[in-house]
Each structure stands twice: as C-alpha cells, then as structure tokens.
Amino acid sequence: MTAPVDPGFLGYQPTIEPLKLTTGASFVQTIQPSGGVQFPANTAVKIVFTAPGGAVLDTWNATVTATAATWAVSNVTADAIPANSRYTLLVTYASAPPVTYAWYEGTVLRT
C-alpha cells in the first residue's frame, strides 16, 4: 500500500493564474463545470479585486446557471482596475452552512 502524497499544505489550493485586462475592452468570461457536472441551485460566483495592501477595489458577480458562470463587465468598469492588483475568484455553494472556495487567484495584468 502506498502512502498518500503530502501536498505540502492544508486546505483547498486555488489555481494561481494572472487575470489579463485590456484597456478599452470589456471583460467577457465564461467558466463551465467539466465532465457534465452542473452548478447546484443558488451557487454564487464572483471575482473580488484588491489593492496590494488588501483594500477591496471592486467585486464582479457572475451570472450563474446550471451549466455556466458568465461575466460581461463594461470597459469603463474594467479600466478602473489597476495593474498589479490582486484578484480572487470565489465560488459559494448554498449548502447549510454555505461553503466558499477560492478557485482562482493571482495578479491583474494590463495590456
């Protein structure tokens, strides 16, 4: 029998990826569950932007259906997020009590 692999940390580990925003362009994104899985009813998905010191700059809520979480954020709103900000994409399942996971996090890149 093989011992389980120690991931080197406790807790859920989000995927670390940059989020790229293009000046003058809207932010349009769709995330779909893989393998035919569906989001449970009342699932909430949002992106929270913070300054390097941790102050919240903005929160973008997704429109969530059973098969997708989508954003269509205007360029005016997206342009207000500066380079080198941080973001966290949070998914909250409406269980009792609600459970929130950080699926993605990283730095904001500007082009």
Side-chain angles (χ1 to χ4, degrees):
M1 176 178 247
T2 321
V5 175
D6 180 0
F9 57 84
L10 292 176
Y12 183 84
Q13 179 67 33
T15 300
I16 310 297
E17 293 285 345
L19 186 149
K20 187 179 284 189
L21 297 174
T22 301
T23 302
S26 297
F27 173 77
V28 179
Q29 180 70 52
T30 299
I31 295 176
Q32 297 176 301
S34 60
V37 174
Q38 294 190 344
F39 287 120
N42 300 314
T43 296
V45 183
K46 65 184 176 182
I47 300 172
V48 179
F49 294 94
T50 55
V56 174
L57 299 171
D58 205 352
T59 300
W60 298 350
N61 293 304
T63 300
V64 181
T65 66
T67 58
T70 59
W71 292 264
V73 179
S74 75
N75 64 305
V76 173
T77 299
D79 285 352
I81 304 299
N84 298 317
S85 301
R86 303 279 306 158
Y87 83 93
T88 305
L89 189 150
L90 298 168
V91 177
T92 301
Y93 296 110
S95 53
V99 177
T100 300
Y101 291 94
W103 270 6
Y104 290 88
E105 67 179 13
T107 304
V108 174
L109 305 176
R110 302 273 341 166
T111 59

